Amino acid sequence: MAEASGQEARSPGTRSGGPRCIALVGPFQSGKTTLFESLLARCGAISRPGAVKAGNSCGDASAEARAHQMSTEPNVATVEFLGERFTFIDCPGSIEFLHEMRHVLPAVDAAVVVCEADDRKAPALELVLRELEEADIPRFLFLNKIDAAARRVRETLGLLQRASRTPLLLRQIPIWRHGIAVGFIDLALERAFIYREHAPSEVVPLATDEIERERDARFSMLERLADYDDTLMEDLLGDIEPPRDLVFDDLARELRERHVVPVLIGAAERGNGVTRLLKALRHEVPGLAATRARNGVVDGGAPLALVMKTWHAGQGGKLSLARVLRGRLAEGDAVVSSGGTEARIGGVLALKGAEQQRRPAAEEGEVVALARLDSVRTGDAIAAGKLRPDAISAVAPPEPVHALAIAVRDRKDDVRLAAALARLVEEDPALVLAHLPEIGEMRLAGQGEMHLRVALERLGGRYGVAVEGGVTAVGHRETLRGTASARGRHRKQSGGHGQFGDVVLEVAPLPRGEGLRFVDRITGGVVPKQYIGAVEAGVREYCARGPLGFPLVDLAVTLTDGSYHTVDSSDMAFRQAARLAMTEACAQAGSVLLEPVLAVEIVVPSEAMARASALVAARRGRIQSYDARPGWRGWDRISALIPEAETAGLIVELRSATAGVGSFSSRFDHLAELAGRQAEAVVSAHGR
């Protein structure tokens, strides 16, 4: 008897009609895209599951995903299973692309968290589960690669529970033969199944030596369910076998109410456990009405959709991945966004990986790509008609942790670069573009080394603009060591009106952060008032590049004396005189190089605390404090002061030391003196 033919009795109240939308999430390399392929194959959407390593998967079809064998953006496909439609959205697992998941979550009905029995990935699992908890998403946990598990499921469950603030509810236990999982026992159905390669599992009689283990595991499951069901608790206390329908109703209700996280097991690469997962999703995932309620969207009103992702498809123009939360949206419909912009739907496309199929309209609950919504951004709600809808979700972009200085390889691409970058940043709100004219640098910042590498590859591959990335410059400054006074006299006679300006300036250092303070102490009109502004302008022009070649800061400049000529004096002459006086005075006062120091907050799993502390010390950092990360059991926080020059590549080393989960935030704190060989090296490099 095959698993697909085992139809259990169900209560009509536990199923929700209409298309369902499910996010596949989880740590990097946990097997999400492999599960995505297996789900599509089991539902008949593809003839056989593709493989990420082989480069023939339906998901991860972009050049960047193929090259790096990892998801870099969501994969979408809609399938049908036992007469009901599901859209699966496979979200990237790398922490550098986790932001892609955040925009998807508000639109989904539930999530399947794909993980494995690997304690090294437990912190990464916690990051994903915390995102789901904060977004209030019903969720299953699919314990993948059970065929390669090296520890018992109960032991694994204890490990995984530390990553979840919601109790994990084991729904299946493996059947072991010679240390290998060859099948499973469904604790709700009380049936045993033997795995078959890329096919539904086969129902088999429950072996005698498995009965006691099944009873213990089932009782533990029922005990957890009874925490929220008095009737079930009374049955257990009375040693009465509860009706199967009551158990299934409790499973569905406690998932919907976020009391538990059901745990199913399988091996996605072999297609094991996939059918039982599909059945659990079909019977227990809440429908679209619950998703609307979670997002504060009323049931009645104009057709409404939420945009989860935007991208530019070459000649096809801009596409917006959206889920219709209410009503029906058709090609040609006029819509208005929560941002206040108006547009007209240029097309409706159903998606299956990279494949697109044009459709006349999208019905309620469906996930489609809407074409030509040029003014609509990721995260916008759009409504048919003229009435502007309220925003549904507010997903703030993550703070950048890594940056590159970028420049085109071919100067003729300068004009095209601006348009390409604008599209790139629109597609990926986690990218931040900054122009720093003071140091002549264009800077692209993001979530890590791979995030930026993929961004540059997209610039070249999608937009035909070859870009090079390099280390970002540091905003060094300089200030004065002492006080000095000097005269600057500019005199020039070349026939006709000459040029004459004469000033005496006194310079003195100020405390850090005071900037430039210009003081006029002229008496008796020796420098007429109409030229005072020109003197100050000359001072500021000089301070833009001080004696060492860096901006000169934190100094007081006092105009104490001077003289003028009634005919030859001018603004230009006094500006030049001021620059001459500053050159002489600053040379006498002496200057010192300043480097920016950042206040850095690092968060890591507790077991990586020593490694993180060593990274800070190796980068001339000074640790200010250690403490537990608030609200995160098993995580610690380091507060430190680190020179900006030493933070380049910090995120790369930090993630290497923490299995990919460590992170940091930073802000400017102060300028500090830099002397000796380090200062000489900076000045020498700047002068080249």
Side-chain angles (χ1 to χ4, degrees), residues 288-576:
L288 183 59
T291 301
R292 281 198 296 261
R294 191 184 75 231
N295 287 295
V297 175
V298 298
D299 291 339
L304 180 73
L306 177 62
V307 176
M308 298 176 275
K309 175 76 177 174
T310 61
W311 72 99
H312 294 266
Q315 294 181 347
K318 182 177 176 180
L319 296 177
S320 301
L321 179 68
R323 188 182 191 201
V324 182
L325 297 179
R326 187 175 62 208
R328 179 178 186 269
L329 289 172
E331 182 175 348
D333 282 353
V335 296
V336 61
S337 75
S338 53
T341 61
E342 297 182 358
R344 189 173 296 276
I345 297 174
V348 178
L349 303 169
L351 301 176
K352 185 172 71 178
E355 295 179 21
Q356 301 175 359
Q357 182 177 4
R358 202 170 187 92
R359 298 180 47 188
E363 305 297 334
E364 186 171 273
E366 291 185 329
V367 175
V368 294
L370 303 176
R372 307 287 183 181
L373 300 181
D374 293 336
S375 60
V376 174
R377 301 170 300 175
T378 299
D380 279 355
I382 56 171
K386 295 289 185 180
L387 186 61
R388 177 178 176 177
D390 293 331
I392 293 176
S393 64
V395 180
E399 183 178 337
V401 294
H402 193 62
L404 291 174
I406 59 173
V408 291
R409 293 178 186 169
D410 192 331
R411 301 298 294 178
K412 66 180 175 58
D413 287 335
D414 267 334
V415 176
R416 297 171 59 210
L417 176 63
L421 283 171
R423 287 186 170 186
L424 192 70
V425 172
E426 181 185 18
E427 290 177 354
D428 187 348
L431 291 171
V432 178
L433 181 65
H435 297 269
L436 305 175
E438 178 187 298
I439 55 178
E441 185 173 278
M442 183 184 298
R443 187 175 292 181
L444 187 65
Q447 293 305 294
E449 186 179 37
M450 181 59 72
H451 185 212
L452 295 182
R453 183 184 304 174
V454 167
L456 297 191
E457 289 171 357
R458 285 176 181 164
L459 280 174
R462 296 187 186 181
Y463 302 111
V465 181
V467 175
E468 292 182 339
V471 178
T472 57
V474 176
H476 288 95
R477 299 289 188 267
E478 57 182 285
T479 193
L480 301 179
R481 288 189 180 278
T483 301
S485 179
R487 178 180 293 275
R489 177 173 291 177
H490 177 65
R491 176 186 293 170
K492 189 174 182 181
Q493 191 71 42
S494 58
H497 286 302
Q499 296 181 30
F500 182 83
D502 176 35
V503 296
V504 177
L505 297 177
E506 181 181 286
V507 297
L510 290 176
R512 295 287 178 267
E514 291 294 317
L516 170 61
R517 184 188 304 163
F518 179 80
V519 180
D520 170 22
R521 288 190 181 165
I522 290 296
T523 58
V526 292
V527 176
K529 288 190 178 298
Q530 65 264 34
Y531 298 132
I532 301 299
V535 175
E536 182 176 358
V539 169
R540 293 189 180 278
E541 288 172 4
Y542 175 84
C543 289
R545 184 179 175 87
L548 300 178
F550 300 94
L552 189 59
V553 298
D554 300 337
L555 73 157
V557 179
T558 306
L559 175 60
T560 60
D561 199 1
S563 62
Y564 72 102
H565 190 279
T566 55
V567 175
D568 292 343
S569 288
S570 65
D571 282 350
M572 183 182 296
F574 273 98
R575 282 168 57 184
Q576 184 61 25

Side-chain angles (χ1 to χ4, degrees), residues 656-670:
S656 176
T658 59
V661 298
S663 192
F664 74 91
S665 59
S666 63
R667 59 175 175 79
F668 173 78
D669 189 78
H670 68 281

